[in-house]
Amino acid sequence: MNELLKRLGIGALIGLIAGLLVSYGTNVERFFFTDLLNGYEFQSYDARMRASVSESEEASIDTVVIIDIEQQSTLPVDSGGLGRYYNWPQAYHGQLIDVVTSGEPAAMLFDIIFDPENTFDFDLVNALNSDNSPNDEYLADVTNQFLVSNDPTRFVYSTYASQKAYHALVFEQEDSLIFLYKMDSEPEGYDRPDHMIQLPDDQSNRLPKADRLGNTFPDLLQASVRTGSANFPQDQDGIIRRSPTAIWFEGPNHVYPTLTMAAAMDILGVPNDGLNYDYEKLILTMRDTTGKIVREIPIDEKGRMYVNYYGYYKTFYYLPYMYCMDPEMLDPSYWKGKVALVGASLPGLMDLRNTPVQETFAGVEIHANVIHSILQNEFVSITDTQTNRLAILIICIVLGVIVNIPTKPLYTLPIPLLAITAWVIFTYNEYLTTLKMWEIVRPAISIGGTYLGIFLYNFLIVEKDKRFLKNTFGTYISPELIDQMFDAKEEPSLGGKEGYHTAFFTDIQSFSAFSEKLSASALVELLNDYLTEMTDILFDNKGTLDKYIGDAIVAFYGAPAPVDDHEYWACLTAIKMQERLAELRTKWQGEGDRWPEIVHHMQNRIGVNTGPMVTGNMGSTMRMNYTMMGDTVNLAARLEASAKQYGIYIQVADETYKACKDKFIWRDLDYVIVMGKTEPAQVFELITEIGNMPSGYDKLLPAFHEAVKLYRNQDWAKAIEAFKASDKLEDMFPGRKINLSRVYIPRCEHYKENPPGDDWDGSWALTKK
């Protein structure tokens, strides 16, 4: 009995220590491990957000409607559109305001930053018409129509007259290098104290700070019923999870609401002094003119609210801009009581953002989610640090007691796994039912740490011989280095050797989606099966395995043992891997419902590059691996990643291609400038070995290469038609979302509108890895 109580006490103590280490040690500011765990917490946050919107339907919300500057509205006038957006007169926006606000919407918000319009053409025509009106009736009508549709005063006048139009402020930070200095006041011509909100200094000073107000059209701001910031901060990983509620303009010490908050305040009847930020409870309280609390919004330490995303892109109702400005196309009464948001979903207008629910998401729809969340009183909340710490300590102590009951904790291995699973299920249920976000990663680590601590405690007591030292050392360095150390009777040392080798990278397409479809055990089984088969091919073709990174395989050829024709062996490995993966897909499909459809269509991508690199034992004196590094390696990794953007599966750089171009079938891919590089690299798609031409490629390759030739000769119109023709020959098998021909078509259209010039080298710069 005493022994059992001792074990229970030790278990509770180890659990307490593990809980304290995780809950306090991983929340130290500027500690790299804290940032790492916060990154994983963000990912778990995003996963729950995606789970909550998985069944959302397109255009399912119509109380907030987006007036979209989309492709149809920007078609040429003779094609039924309004012309290129940047050529639109601002009078169009005035007409839009007049039509929409005549239907009595709750608010009309512009997620667009406007500059003063160039009125040269209008002034010229107006002057000519005033001095000498046309005698021809038709010409007079056309002139008058031009003057009405291009009236530069209409936008400002309509904004003022409607008393429903909200315009965006753009706040900036000081940048003296480009002469953007801190401002002590608003731009001349913009003086609307009623646009500001009134807060005590101890509240306003903790809001996101701005040094400058970058708007250049003060007349428009002055005419607005209210204005507000349209800025969205990104988290460290580039994803927008939070929205400011107000911005502190430091120079004049003024506080402005965000665009959506400004409209929400008017709709809910909240006066300028009706906001109160409680930074201890992390709550923003909104009170109406009677003092009644109308909203309590969870915020972070900077007064930002967490965006409650209601669905994927276009969950909110989108209407084309050109329809909304014409009362004959859309009856203005449609807008009664609705919130109208004017913005752009066109990629060319650069208002696309990365969000937890979708990588490409229109910025205007983020505003829609924010204001809809405020109006519906539905907010995402995050558990505070003290609550998280208490939960971790309780979990660890209880787990430590349970796990340490048997004399061999290995028997209780399922318990921490079940505990982690139960905690994950709890956190998902909490979010899906109450919109409360609990931490997942730190509690899971604390559970694992508690079990590991108890296991090591017992293991250290039982095992005291030299084998323990060897096993412990084996967790820090690779088995190959241990064998090297034993054989040579020396410790491995740091250092590398430069040589001319081939780098090889491969990973599974969209592997993160597999974890959503498979259980943890099934995912491990599938990954082990895949990695075993691919690694066997690598070794059979003289490759050296560097490391596994999740589902990725990193390898190289020519070191530590020299390999003749290492470029050839690397390319052959890539083809053999593709062939073996096709056999695996057939096998998995034959196993029926055991695997979901995503497994049946698994694809992997491969990047290969040859050049100088350093190989050798690298790391620290305590931990090292035989690995590679250098610019050649970086480019190979970029080629593997960027293959996704081309819709191909083996991308090879020019140096590798030159060494074995006569032994394989290739497709001339591109002159590409990958992320992080300034010089273009010629790249190729590796198809297969000579004499093994895939079905249909005998027609596809000549057609595609002819299209590329036209593209590089800047014959854009013919190139577009040629790529459309080659697109019809592409094999769009399941899982392939894009092909190379479809990549080039929008490029040609872009260059057709924006010619690159006679000195163009044919290169294209990728904007993401």
Side-chain angles (χ1 to χ4, degrees), residues 334-626:
Y334 169 82
W335 297 103
K336 187 174 181 61
K338 299 181 185 293
V339 174
L341 268 161
V342 184
S345 66
L346 276 178
L349 298 183
M350 305 301 291
D351 193 29
L352 300 180
R353 302 289 184 262
N354 194 353
T355 68
V357 297
Q358 203 164 353
E359 184 175 347
T360 303
F361 201 90
V364 65
E365 193 165 355
I366 302 178
H367 288 291
N369 280 279
V370 172
I371 195 167
H372 187 65
S373 172
I374 296 174
L375 297 181
Q376 296 298 314
N377 200 19
E378 297 172 344
F379 304 108
V380 175
S381 62
I382 307 292
T383 52
D384 61 77
T385 301
Q386 295 303 322
T387 301
N388 290 328
R389 286 174 176 169
L390 180 61
I392 288 173
L393 291 176
I394 292 174
I395 291 171
C396 290
I397 292 173
V398 173
L399 183 68
V401 170
I402 295 174
V403 170
N404 215 33
I405 292 176
T407 56
K408 294 185 177 181
L410 191 62
Y411 295 158
T412 60
L413 179 59
I415 293 179
L417 300 179
L418 290 173
I420 293 174
T421 302
W423 181 253
V424 171
I425 292 174
F426 166 76
T427 57
Y428 269 76
N429 181 70
E430 278 288 284
Y431 180 72
L432 294 175
T433 56
T434 68
L435 294 179
K436 180 177 286 293
M437 285 282 189
W438 288 79
E439 286 193 341
I440 287 181
V441 177
R442 285 180 175 85
I445 291 176
S446 66
I447 291 171
T450 299
Y451 181 80
L452 180 62
I454 293 173
F455 180 83
L456 289 177
Y457 173 80
N458 286 274
F459 188 71
L460 286 169
I461 292 176
V462 176
E463 300 290 338
K464 296 182 180 179
D465 54 33
K466 294 182 180 179
R467 287 179 298 174
F468 171 73
L469 295 176
K470 180 180 177 181
N471 291 337
T472 303
F473 197 58
T475 63
Y476 291 94
I477 60 176
S478 67
E480 293 81 3
L481 286 178
I482 293 177
D483 293 341
Q484 173 184 320
M485 181 181 66
F486 288 157
D487 293 342
K489 299 187 183 298
E490 63 180 12
E491 295 183 358
S493 59
L494 297 172
K497 181 179 179 181
E498 185 171 358
Y500 190 82
H501 309 302
T502 297
F504 185 101
F505 285 75
T506 179
D507 72 356
I508 297 173
Q509 171 182 294
S510 302
F511 183 72
S512 59
F514 285 63
S515 60
E516 299 176 8
K517 302 290 185 180
L518 298 171
S519 66
S521 59
L523 186 64
V524 169
E525 179 183 352
L526 178 70
L527 190 57
N528 285 341
D529 191 8
Y530 166 80
L531 292 176
T532 298
E533 295 291 339
M534 298 300 109
T535 306
D536 287 345
I537 293 172
L538 177 73
F539 289 153
D540 290 343
N541 290 279
K542 305 183 180 182
T544 299
L545 177 65
D546 185 331
K547 63 177 74 71
Y548 299 112
I549 306 176
D551 61 301
I553 299 173
V554 182
F556 49 93
Y557 292 77
V563 175
D564 294 333
D565 298 325
H566 49 80
E567 303 93 339
Y568 165 78
W569 290 106
C571 292
L572 185 63
T573 300
I575 290 174
K576 296 298 182 184
M577 284 185 174
Q578 292 286 339
E579 292 174 351
R580 182 55 184 148
L581 182 55
E583 296 171 1
L584 288 174
R585 288 195 295 267
T586 302
K587 185 189 81 168
W588 293 327
Q589 291 167 8
E591 292 174 358
D593 295 335
R594 182 184 178 193
W595 303 107
E597 186 176 359
I598 192 173
V599 176
H600 297 168
H601 302 305
M602 179 194 288
Q603 298 284 350
N604 65 5
R605 291 191 173 92
I606 299 170
V608 182
N609 185 32
T610 301
M613 66 178 75
V614 175
T615 58
N617 293 328
M618 301 179 197
S620 70
T621 55
M622 294 297 295
R623 180 171 181 172
M624 62 193 72
N625 271 325
Y626 192 84

Side-chain angles (χ1 to χ4, degrees), residues 673-690:
I673 302 174
V674 299
M675 289 286 288
K677 301 292 182 182
T678 57
E679 295 297 325
Q682 187 173 11
V683 290
F684 299 83
E685 180 188 9
L686 174 57
I687 307 298
T688 188
E689 295 177 84
I690 290 289

Side-chain angles (χ1 to χ4, degrees), residues 691-702:
N692 193 25
M693 177 76 75
S695 175
Y697 272 71
D698 56 338
K699 296 180 180 179
L700 170 61
L701 293 181

Side-chain angles (χ1 to χ4, degrees), residues 10-26:
I10 291 173
L13 179 62
I14 293 174
L16 177 62
I17 294 172
L20 290 172
L21 286 174
V22 173
S23 60
Y24 284 89
T26 63

